[in-house]
Amino acid sequence: MRRRAAADQSGDKSPHSKFMAESWEKDEYSISTDRSRLDVALIHNYLSNTSYWATGRSLEVVQRSIECSLPFGIYKGSEQVGFGRVVTDYATFAWIADVFVLPEHRGRGLSKWLMEVILAHPQLQGFRRWVLSTKDAQGLYERYGFIKLHRPERWMERPDPNMKESPDYWR
């Protein structure tokens, strides 16, 4: 696996833009944090129409979520085949969200590689807590040290009663 840093050419003005875009290569695939490479239409389509957690998510919300996160695109050549993003303050906390690999590219270790890249990213180190939510990939994330909430009685959430999405866990 080869890692490469490059200046972000996207003109991004988000809080995350102070970090250079980086990329990693492995076999015929690459992972990149370069926002200009993201296929936002593909990401929106997968999240809104295929995922169980973001059904009905609008394009505007997908765009804003990417803008306010550190995105990781997975590519085969120039074609995007997967995605994940990290919501973070770059100091104490990180939440891994919206991870997917398109079905025709699964079974090649791409989700494992994505997790390795995310967890080793130089700007994502020294946090006291990483979190994520999954319905069916606990085994994947356990390989990287994720455990059930240590003190779930201390965690709370507030669903928006006007939410336009219909994720399966609010039903």
Side-chain angles (χ1 to χ4, degrees), residues 27-135:
D27 302 326
E28 58 189 328
Y29 290 94
S30 65
I31 294 176
S32 176
T33 59
D34 183 348
R35 294 167 187 279
S36 69
R37 291 188 67 189
L38 293 172
D39 183 341
V40 177
L42 175 128
I43 296 166
H44 171 252
N45 183 56
Y46 186 90
L47 293 176
S48 184
N49 298 313
T50 305
S51 77
Y52 63 82
W53 66 89
T55 303
R57 186 173 292 173
S58 72
L59 177 59
E60 185 226 347
V61 168
V62 169
Q63 290 170 324
R64 195 165 16 127
S65 72
I66 292 169
E67 187 178 294
C68 297
S69 303
L70 178 59
F72 291 79
I74 307 173
Y75 304 90
K76 182 176 181 183
S78 61
E79 173 193 11
Q80 186 166 356
V81 301
F83 178 75
R85 63 188 180 92
V86 177
V87 182
T88 183
D89 62 4
Y90 293 99
T92 65
F93 179 83
W95 170 39
I96 299 174
D98 294 335
V99 174
F100 70 86
V101 173
L102 296 178
E104 57 271 25
H105 295 274
R106 292 180 187 162
R108 296 181 171 109
L110 295 175
S111 59
K112 294 179 188 96
W113 183 38
L114 177 61
M115 287 304 299
E116 291 166 9
V117 165
I118 288 173
L119 294 172
H121 191 285
Q123 301 301 325
L124 303 176
Q125 301 305 304
F127 300 156
R128 65 173 220 232
R129 178 170 290 119
W130 286 80
V131 297
L132 57 79
S133 177
T134 184
K135 178 169 101 174

Side-chain angles (χ1 to χ4, degrees), residues 133-159:
S133 177
T134 184
K135 178 169 101 174
D136 55 5
Q138 287 83 356
L140 168 67
Y141 297 115
E142 286 170 352
R143 294 177 187 199
Y144 300 97
F146 285 85
I147 60 174
K148 291 181 180 177
L149 288 176
H150 180 66
R151 302 294 293 270
E153 68 276 7
R154 293 185 180 189
W155 288 82
M156 297 180 74
E157 59 187 324
R158 179 184 176 267

Side-chain angles (χ1 to χ4, degrees), residues 52-54 156-161 163 165-171:
Y52 63 82
W53 66 89
M156 297 180 74
E157 59 187 324
R158 179 184 176 267
D160 182 346
M163 180 180 6
E165 298 173 27
S166 55
D168 72 344
Y169 48 84
W170 291 122
R171 292 184 207 137

